Amino acid sequence: MENKYVCSVDIGGTKIATAIMEYPADGGVPHPVFEAEVPTEAQEGGEAVFQRIEASIKAALEANPDVEVLGVGIGAAGVVDPKTGAIAYANEIMPGWSGVQLGPRLREDLGLPVAVVGDVQAHALGEAHWGVGKGKFSVLCLGIGTGIGGAYVENGRVMQGFHGAAGHMGHIECSAAAGIPCACGRSGHLESVASGTSIGRMYDERFGRVDPSRPSVGRDVNDLCRAGDAKATEVIHDAGFALGASLGSLANILDPEVIVLSGGVIHQGPDWRSQTWKDSVHEGYASQALDPLQDTPILIGSLEGDAPLIGAAEHLLASLK
Ligand SMILES: [Zn+2]
């Protein structure tokens, strides 16, 4: 057995990360042997972003002339057409990104196998294969940051859905969010009460800003909660409980072996996850999960920034089988 190599790309709204991932022959954790990053400059439009991605991949391959990659795995912002790897839909954060024929054009231009998956789906594949989900039959992953997204991996494969839109866990009906507008244009969705942004907003609406000069963010509220402030504790409890209850509902549908949480809210530092929040997540979960699912572990993701690059590589490898 020799080392294997895959070119991985993580396309987000602010940066494009490109790496050459090495899979050690001894079966060890894949890791980048080359990494580069450029700003996405999303406001320049989809075609300009495509050109930057292609240039980044070519530069990565040229910088590693002795490495023969098996192909290019990409985790991309937006909804990715599972059949072609084109961008089926993207919101206003990336104007003109919707409709970009990402997979088909790169395949033709590079002459290499190219597999594209959603960025949250790539993150989940990373955690499921090499993070805390390693060796588990099925993994439900939720990323909690400014928004909430997720993905479900079973037997090593991520569920993409017919349109590629599977896993929009932030946009499920949530009783605590009734009547609250959601970023997606609807209302009553989990994201509106459980994301970092929402925690800050809920505190301001109920009690006024922590710092009068700016809207509160999740961290402000959590710091107060950790200091024993009753108002902040109430908001953190409500956000954690709503998340946990939704996890329970999702577990009733999917029955994952483990649930993995990651994202900005989870990884803002060791201090972020207050005991109140953790207890509230478990309390919410217990209120909804069916009896056989009450003991499903709720874990914290271990790969952080590398998860999407590793997951994109895994998606490419799966596409070659
Ligand atoms: Zn929504």
Side-chain angles (χ1 to χ4, degrees):
M1 282 276 286
E2 289 185 352
N3 294 346
K4 287 189 297 189
Y5 297 91
V6 175
C7 179
S8 283
V9 188
D10 179 24
I11 305 165
T14 56
K15 65 179 173 66
I16 299 163
T18 308
I20 303 290
M21 305 297 291
E22 179 180 83
Y23 279 72
D26 65 6
V29 183
H31 55 270
V33 291
F34 170 87
E35 272 185 292
E37 207 176 282
V38 293
T40 307
E41 317 256 30
Q43 72 286 353
E44 289 182 11
E47 180 60 27
V49 172
F50 174 83
Q51 295 297 340
R52 249 189 300 285
I53 293 161
E54 186 166 85
S56 298
I57 296 169
K58 286 180 173 169
L61 297 176
E62 279 164 19
N64 296 273
D66 300 334
V67 166
E68 196 172 328
V69 299
L70 295 171
V72 181
I74 301 178
V79 172
V80 176
D81 180 342
K83 290 174 281 296
T84 65
I87 305 301
Y89 171 79
N91 64 19
E92 70 283 358
I93 295 168
M94 291 187 69
W97 184 234
S98 186
V100 169
Q101 297 296 306
L102 183 63
R105 287 178 64 185
L106 287 176
R107 245 170 248 129
E108 188 172 329
D109 293 354
L110 301 170
L112 285 168
V114 176
V116 191
V117 71
D119 51 357
V120 181
Q121 295 166 345
H123 191 113
L125 279 168
E127 288 290 352
H129 281 269
W130 296 100
V132 287
K134 189 171 190 291
K136 306 298 182 189
F137 168 69
S138 57
V139 180
L140 170 63
C141 258
L142 265 83
I144 301 139
T146 51
I148 293 179
Y152 176 66
V153 178
E154 184 171 296
N155 262 332
R157 294 260 183 173
V158 68
M159 185 168 78
Q160 291 178 273
F162 181 71
H163 301 91
H168 279 80
M169 315 292 186
H171 305 284
I172 57 174
E173 200 274 341
C174 167
S175 55
I180 302 175
C182 183
C184 72
R186 288 146 200 89
S187 72
H189 287 172
L190 174 65
E191 186 171 291
S192 308
V193 291
S195 69
T197 314
S198 303
I199 289 170
R201 198 208 62 246
M202 283 196 293
Y203 185 92
D204 289 354
E205 284 173 1
R206 292 184 196 179
F207 307 114
R209 291 176 175 183
V210 176
D211 175 348
S213 69
R214 59 166 175 83
S216 305
V217 295
R219 181 175 266 286
D220 299 323
V221 185
N222 191 62
D223 287 347
L224 280 177
C225 171
R226 287 170 55 82
D229 180 88
K231 292 181 287 192
T233 301
E234 178 191 305
V235 172
I236 293 288
H237 170 271
D238 291 356
F241 189 94
L243 176 66
S246 293
L247 292 178
S249 298
L250 290 167
N252 292 346
I253 303 168
L254 299 167
D255 185 11
E257 184 172 354
V258 293
I259 296 170
V260 177
L261 305 180
S262 61
V265 162
I266 307 298
H267 291 302
Q268 275 185 19
D271 291 348
W272 209 94
R273 299 183 297 272
S274 67
Q275 197 58 42
T276 302
W277 185 80
K278 282 185 276 191
D279 290 348
S280 304
V281 170
H282 283 99
E283 195 188 324
Y285 182 83
S287 77
Q288 295 300 321
L290 295 172
D291 289 348
L293 311 177
Q294 283 281 322
D295 295 330
T296 300
I298 301 175
L299 310 173
I300 300 301
S302 59
L303 297 177
E304 300 189 36
D306 277 348
L309 291 171
I310 296 175
E314 286 296 332
H315 188 63
L316 182 274
L317 294 175
S319 77
L320 299 177
K321 282 174 188 162

